Amino acid sequence: MGAHLQPLALRLLALTFPLVAKGFSDETLEKAAKSEGYCSRILRAQGTRREGYNEFSLRVEGDPEFYKPGNSYRVTLSAATPAYFRGFTLIALKEGKEGDKEEDHAGTFQIIDEEETQFMSNCPVAVTESTPRRRTRIQVFWTAPPTGTGCVILKASIVQKRIIYFQDEGSLTKKICEQDSASEGVTDKPILDCCACGTAKYRLTFYGNWSEKTHPKDFPRRTNHWSAIIGSSHSKNYILWEYGGYASEGVKQVAELGSPVKMEEEIRQQSDEVLTVIKAKAQWPAWQPLNVRAAPSAEFSVDRHRHLMSFLTMLGPSPDWNVGLSAEDLCTKDCGWVQKVVQDLIPWDAGTDSGVTYESPNKPTVPQEKIRPLTSLDHPQSPFYDPEGGSIKLVARVVIERIARKGEQCNIVPDNIDDIVADLAPEEKEEDDTPETCIYSNWSPWSACSSSTCEKGKRMRQRMLKAQLDLSVPCPDTQDFQPCMGPGCSDEDGSTCMMSDWITWSPCSVSCGMGTRSRERYVKQFPEDGSMCKVPTEETEKCIVNEECSPSSCLVTEWGEWDECSASCGTGMKRRHRMIKMTPADGSMCKAETTEAEKCMMPECHTIPCLLSPWSEWSDCSVTCGKGMRTRQRMLKSAAELGDCNEELEQAEKCMLPECPIDCELTEWSQWSECNTSCGKGHMIRTRMIKIEPQFGGTACPETVQRTKCRVRKCLRGPGMEKRRWKEAREKRRSEQAKKSTDSEQYPVCRLKPWTAWTECSTLCGGGIQERYMMVKKRSKSTQFTSCRDKKELRACNVHPC
């Protein structure tokens, strides 16, 4: 590479570390060259340094703390206005390594813009500028190293006004560590044992925020929905799903099909570890205003052993994307029960399907991958993709609110909400604890109290198991007991019931028009005389949703997209559809149209002979390194009789992979020089030049200088030797003068200028060449003096090794 094309960082580095210095022998330089590679000299070339110097910054897209082995990340080096830089060096090292060995470097860089960046010729793992000029920003891709590499240090240097700035810490250094394969980038918080007492009841409310307005990219307008919510309250011995784990068959069916059936079956098989199965209906479409459709909700209970709560719901359509909570702990460290949890949710990938868009065709992931949160850098075609690596916009929010507690509590810190009740609504408990595969009769009335005195007794009620549809799913007991006392054992207030405050109103029973809603309260203390509470525990009232609708109106979805025109050319018809979500409350037929049609006009048939399929995916690059080509195709779908199709069916474009290795190339050997002595033993040399420097891991250059012994006549010794040498020199001068005289007589009109001075040596070490010239001063116009021309001489120089 010529000096004028050398990177500025490289040239300034040469000023910092000259290859040859006074006082250094050839042997010393040779040892230094063997022990110290160019990359290590880059890392040690730390110039002027300023504390807190933050005009320049190195950033990895998305600012991740962890990298996933094999993934690619965009790395940006930038200067804040009005600062700029002319040159730079970028390198990636394993933590704690010096960089003087090939194995010290981690990952690989990929050039994005060849006009801005290139690999260093003498340190191929480093990236530098292509041409020195003012710039404020450069970008490259960095592919993370394989598993087991550990933490990596990305380091940048800045060249500005012939100064090299390095920072071991701060804005020009970025530390990024390998993602723990067990957690897949999500911190695993240990689940502690619960010390709370009694039980608590909660209400889960799910608010979807995924719509065309909030997530416009490729939003599926016709089929967007949330699947049925499925989950449970459970112990730490059973986990429904977790980041870094593998999806069970039940989770897979929710993720890919939106079906909760298998998931519920898996939950009920863990009956000893599960207290409540959590279920809520699906939502079609995914979002509607709350005054049109209430948010889905479900109630569940927890106790000291089963104090965790998990749920999931599919974002549909999608390959295998869901939202949910995993092992949310509702037990506090102060031995109480959490009052309220509000959690914003982003989608996660179940690891069972490799699709990248909402409506990607089925593409099973083999082998199955671990559950992980989606990111904005997963794939350019992803609807959540953001080239700047920002966070994904939230798609849902879940609110979990405590509505009641039962039994003796043991809070270390007093609870400021008085919601302790005597019973958590048996009918709710029965619904939660009874599997759908167990068919029972209704409960019988309560029996008389077993105690006729003021001692506490029990009363009982029964039901009959009519059918057990799945023998693998156990059915609960058919008897239920309740404490009681005999009559006449209480004072005058013995029949008084202590009630809780009313719980919030339930959603309205209809989505349109007038319906009803209800609310509940619980018995905090039963009458001491054992009698039943006659105070109402539930009340209802009328509610109106969307006042504009009448009992005879029906609720429909929004119109879907128009179908393709029925004709490929000329006039045709197109249709669009919508669905009935709810029939009229008065039982009449829905009068709203569910199909709409209109004419569509295509170009005249003779002008459109081509109907083409979409373009295929781009093929792989035609080369394994360097510049190549890739192609894509599409097919002709229209009939041949419509005419010839002139549209292109194949496209090609350039593609760029990491550079191919370039081996060293040398010129042929020069002629041997004259012997360096006039008598006795000496040596001759010959040299060759480097035509192409090795790059990108190519074969290194062999020797460029060779020596061989030579012997001239034997040197004379004795007192007359100096006199003889003087005599020989005089004779030689006379001979040369006679020759010049002859030349002048032979070529009287060919006159030459004196020899010029020798040029500078072409290299500083390792064998170079010097040149000098003798130019014609006067040349005859006659054509017979063809030997009258400029002369040129060469000689070797700087033959000492580098």
Side-chain angles (χ1 to χ4, degrees):
M1 182 181 295
H4 64 288
L5 294 178
Q6 258 184 335
L8 183 61
L10 194 69
R11 299 206 301 276
L12 292 186
L13 196 63
L15 294 175
T16 310
F17 284 88
L19 294 177
V20 180
K22 288 185 178 180
F24 280 69
S25 66
D26 291 351
E27 183 179 358
T28 304
L29 289 170
E30 186 174 356
K31 288 181 179 178
K34 290 181 179 178
S35 63
E36 187 173 341
Y38 185 85
C39 291
S40 62
R41 293 202 295 273
I42 291 175
L43 294 169
R44 294 179 194 139
Q46 298 184 351
T48 304
R49 184 174 182 154
R50 304 180 191 176
E51 296 298 329
Y53 191 72
N54 293 318
E55 290 182 53
F56 309 107
S57 64
L58 178 68
R59 179 175 179 260
V60 179
E61 191 172 40
D63 298 317
E65 295 182 12
F66 303 95
Y67 68 82
K68 186 175 181 181
N71 273 19
S72 292
Y73 302 86
R74 190 190 303 265
V75 179
T76 303
L77 183 61
S78 59
T81 306
Y84 64 90
F85 55 95
R86 293 181 179 276
F88 72 93
T89 304
L90 183 59
I91 202 162
L93 292 175
K94 296 177 183 176
E95 188 176 29
K97 299 297 183 180
E98 294 295 327
D100 51 359
K101 300 177 182 177
E102 184 178 353
E103 56 267 26
D104 290 354
H105 300 272
T108 55
F109 289 105
Q110 183 178 347
I111 302 300
I112 296 177
D113 187 349
E114 291 181 312
E115 294 183 359
E116 287 285 342
T117 55
Q118 66 176 359
F119 292 105
M120 264 192 172
S121 59
N122 289 40
C123 182
V125 293
V127 178
T128 188
E129 77 282 353
S130 294
T131 53
R133 63 174 182 80
R134 287 194 178 198
R135 50 173 56 83
T136 59
R137 168 185 166 114
I138 65 96
Q139 289 187 332
V140 295
F141 281 122
W142 176 71
T143 301
T147 303
T149 303
C151 294
V152 174
I153 309 295
L154 292 168
K155 298 182 67 173
S157 67
I158 291 294
V159 180
Q160 184 195 45
K161 297 181 180 178
R162 305 183 74 81
I163 299 174
I164 301 180
Y165 295 95
F166 267 83
Q167 286 185 317
D168 292 327
E169 297 176 356
S171 60
L172 288 179
T173 297
K174 174 71 177 177
K175 179 179 178 180
I176 180 171
C177 294
E178 182 177 348
Q179 180 175 290
D180 183 4
S181 60
S183 63
E184 285 294 307
V186 180
T187 304
D188 185 18
K189 53 183 181 182
I191 300 173
L192 304 177
D193 290 332
C194 178
C195 58
C197 300
T199 57
K201 187 171 186 177
Y202 289 87
R203 175 177 290 150
L204 175 152
T205 308
F206 181 84
Y207 299 94
N209 191 42
W210 175 54
S211 66
E212 188 173 16
K213 182 178 180 180
T214 59
H215 298 78
K217 183 180 179 183
D218 301 331
F219 187 78
R221 296 182 62 185
R222 292 185 61 181
T223 55
N224 64 89
H225 68 282
W226 293 104
S227 72
I229 292 173
I230 184 67
S232 72
S233 56
H234 56 91
S235 73
K236 65 179 183 180
N237 298 326
Y238 171 54
I239 301 297
L240 278 72
W241 70 271
E242 62 180 339
Y243 289 125
Y246 290 99
S248 66
E249 183 61 31
V251 172
K252 178 182 178 182
Q253 289 194 15
V254 173
E256 294 186 9
L257 308 174
S259 170
V261 176
K262 183 64 178 179
M263 187 77 254
E264 183 176 354
E265 179 183 327
E266 292 178 358
I267 292 172
R268 294 194 183 278
Q269 288 174 356
Q270 300 287 333
S271 56
D272 292 340
E273 309 299 334
V274 172
L275 182 60
T276 307
V277 178
I278 300 171
K279 295 191 290 185
K281 293 182 179 179
Q283 300 175 81
W284 292 77
W287 182 87
Q288 280 191 319
L290 293 177
N291 63 348
V292 175
R293 182 184 67 199
S297 63
E299 296 179 2
F300 64 94
S301 299
V302 291
D303 59 19
R304 175 180 288 190
H305 177 58
R306 294 156 293 191
H307 55 96
L308 306 176
M309 173 269 182
S310 301
F311 82 95
L312 68 157
T313 174
M314 181 192 75
L315 175 149
S318 69
D320 58 346
W321 300 341
N322 311 262
V323 298
L325 291 181
S326 174
E328 183 69 27
D329 197 346
L330 299 176
C331 181
T332 70
K333 62 180 180 180
D334 300 321
C335 303
W337 296 108
V338 173
Q339 293 179 5
K340 190 174 184 178
V341 175
V342 178
Q343 188 75 265
D344 291 320
L345 305 175
I346 63 170
W348 48 269
D349 190 302
T352 60
D353 191 289
S354 300
V356 296
T357 65
Y358 290 126
E359 298 180 284
S360 292
N362 289 335
K363 188 178 180 182
T365 302
V366 180
Q368 182 175 337
E369 295 179 354
K370 295 179 179 179
I371 295 173
R372 63 170 184 85
L374 294 178
T375 73
S376 61
L377 295 173
D378 285 335
H379 195 282
Q381 293 181 5
S382 167
F384 305 108
Y385 181 72
D386 178 3
E388 295 297 323
S391 58
I392 288 182
K393 189 174 291 186
L394 305 171
V395 297
R397 169 176 289 182
V398 62
V399 177
I400 302 171
E401 193 169 10
R402 195 181 74 201
I403 56 178
R405 289 177 294 162
K406 176 185 176 183
E408 182 180 354
Q409 304 295 309
C410 52
N411 307 51
I412 298 174
V413 178
D415 199 303
N416 57 5
I417 297 179
D418 181 17
D419 58 358
I420 298 177
V421 299
D423 194 6
L424 291 179
E427 64 277 7
E428 288 285 335
K429 184 172 183 292
E430 290 161 16
E431 180 184 342
D432 288 342
D433 290 351
T434 303
E436 294 180 352
T437 55
C438 302
I439 310 300
Y440 288 94
S441 65
N442 294 327
W443 285 106
S444 67
W446 287 105
S447 67
C449 189
S450 62
S451 172
S452 58
T453 65
C454 293
E455 295 293 326
K456 289 188 176 180
K458 292 182 179 180
R459 57 179 183 169
M460 182 187 72
R461 63 177 182 173
Q462 294 179 309
R463 61 179 177 178
M464 183 173 62
L465 179 61
K466 299 171 71 175
Q468 186 173 0
L469 303 180
D470 188 346
L471 296 178
S472 65
V473 179
C475 294
D477 295 334
T478 57
Q479 293 181 327
D480 191 20
F481 296 91
Q482 198 176 65
C484 61
M485 289 191 297
C489 294
S490 61
D491 55 23
E492 58 183 359
D493 294 325
S495 61
T496 302
C497 296
M498 185 179 294
M499 307 298 293
S500 70
D501 293 333
W502 288 104
I503 295 172
T504 54
W505 289 102
S506 68
C508 195
S509 61
V510 298
S511 299
C512 178
M514 181 175 292
T516 59
R517 64 176 184 172
S518 63
R519 64 177 182 175
E520 298 173 317
R521 60 181 176 177
Y522 297 93
V523 179
K524 295 185 68 175
Q525 183 176 327
F526 286 103
E528 294 182 0
D529 61 3
S531 61
M532 294 293 294
C533 283
K534 298 181 181 179
V535 180
T537 59
E538 183 177 356
E539 66 179 10
T540 61
E541 68 175 18
K542 293 180 179 180
C543 55
I544 298 176
V545 179
N546 193 1
E547 295 183 4
E548 296 180 359
C549 65
S550 64
S552 61
S553 62
C554 54
L555 192 63
V556 294
T557 63
E558 295 181 1
W559 285 108
E561 295 286 339
W562 287 102
D563 295 338
E564 291 184 4
C565 190
S566 61
S568 59
C569 58
T571 304
M573 295 294 293
K574 63 179 181 179
R575 290 177 173 79
R576 63 177 181 174
H577 309 275
R578 60 181 176 181
M579 295 184 295
I580 298 174
K581 292 184 61 180
M582 182 175 292
T583 55
D586 59 6
S588 61
M589 293 293 292
C590 183
K591 298 179 181 178
E593 295 291 338
T594 58
T595 301
E596 188 175 47
E598 67 176 29
K599 291 182 179 180
C600 50
M601 195 70 179
M602 303 297 284
E604 294 183 18
C605 291
H606 64 82
T607 64
I608 181 167
C610 303
L611 270 182
L612 302 168
S613 68
W615 285 107
S616 66
E617 296 292 332
W618 286 104
S619 66
D620 293 335
C621 198
S622 60
V623 297
T624 56
C625 60
K627 296 180 180 179
M629 299 294 292
R630 62 176 187 171
T631 59
R632 63 176 183 176
Q633 295 83 26
R634 58 182 175 180
M635 296 175 60
L636 181 64
K637 296 170 64 177
S638 57
E641 55 268 19
L642 291 178
D644 294 331
C645 181
N646 297 322
E647 296 291 332
E648 60 179 349
L649 300 179
E650 183 171 358
Q651 285 183 343
E653 70 174 14
K654 295 179 181 179
C655 51
M656 183 70 186
L657 295 176
E659 294 286 353
C660 300
I662 298 177
D663 296 335
C664 177
E665 285 191 20
L666 302 167
T667 62
E668 296 295 327
W669 287 106
S670 67
Q671 297 295 323
W672 287 103
S673 67
E674 294 181 358
C675 197
N676 67 339
T677 62
S678 59
C679 65
K681 294 180 179 180
H683 67 268
M684 299 184 297
I685 65 168
R686 65 174 181 175
T687 61
R688 54 182 175 179
M689 303 290 291
I690 296 176
K691 293 169 63 178
I692 299 178
E693 293 277 0
Q695 298 184 63
F696 316 115
T699 305
C701 291
E703 62 179 350
T704 56
V705 178
Q706 285 185 346
R707 299 187 186 193
T708 186
K709 295 178 181 179
C710 59
R711 184 182 182 90
V712 190
R713 63 180 176 77
K714 187 174 182 180
C715 296
L716 300 176
R717 299 182 183 274
M721 183 173 65
E722 291 296 326
K723 186 175 181 180
R724 291 190 190 95
R725 289 182 178 174
W726 176 84
K727 185 177 180 180
E728 289 173 357
R730 186 180 62 183
E731 290 176 354
K732 185 176 182 180
R733 285 197 301 272
R734 287 177 177 175
S735 175
E736 289 177 351
Q737 289 175 357
K739 184 179 179 183
K740 288 181 180 178
S741 176
T742 304
D743 289 344
S744 177
E745 291 175 2
Q746 187 175 357
Y747 308 112
V749 290
C750 183
R751 297 181 183 178
L752 301 173
K753 294 180 181 180
W755 286 103
T756 63
W758 289 104
T759 62
E760 291 186 5
C761 193
S762 61
T763 61
L764 296 176
C765 59
I769 291 177
Q770 287 180 294
E771 300 174 347
R772 70 173 182 175
Y773 304 91
M774 178 182 285
M775 312 298 291
V776 174
K777 186 175 182 180
K778 184 176 181 182
R779 179 182 286 111
S780 171
K781 296 182 180 179
S782 173
T783 58
Q784 62 178 325
F785 302 107
T786 57
S787 61
C788 184
R789 59 179 181 273
D790 297 340
K791 297 183 179 180
K792 174 182 175 182
E793 285 189 352
L794 302 176
R795 74 176 182 184
C797 57
N798 290 346
V799 296
H800 54 277
C802 295

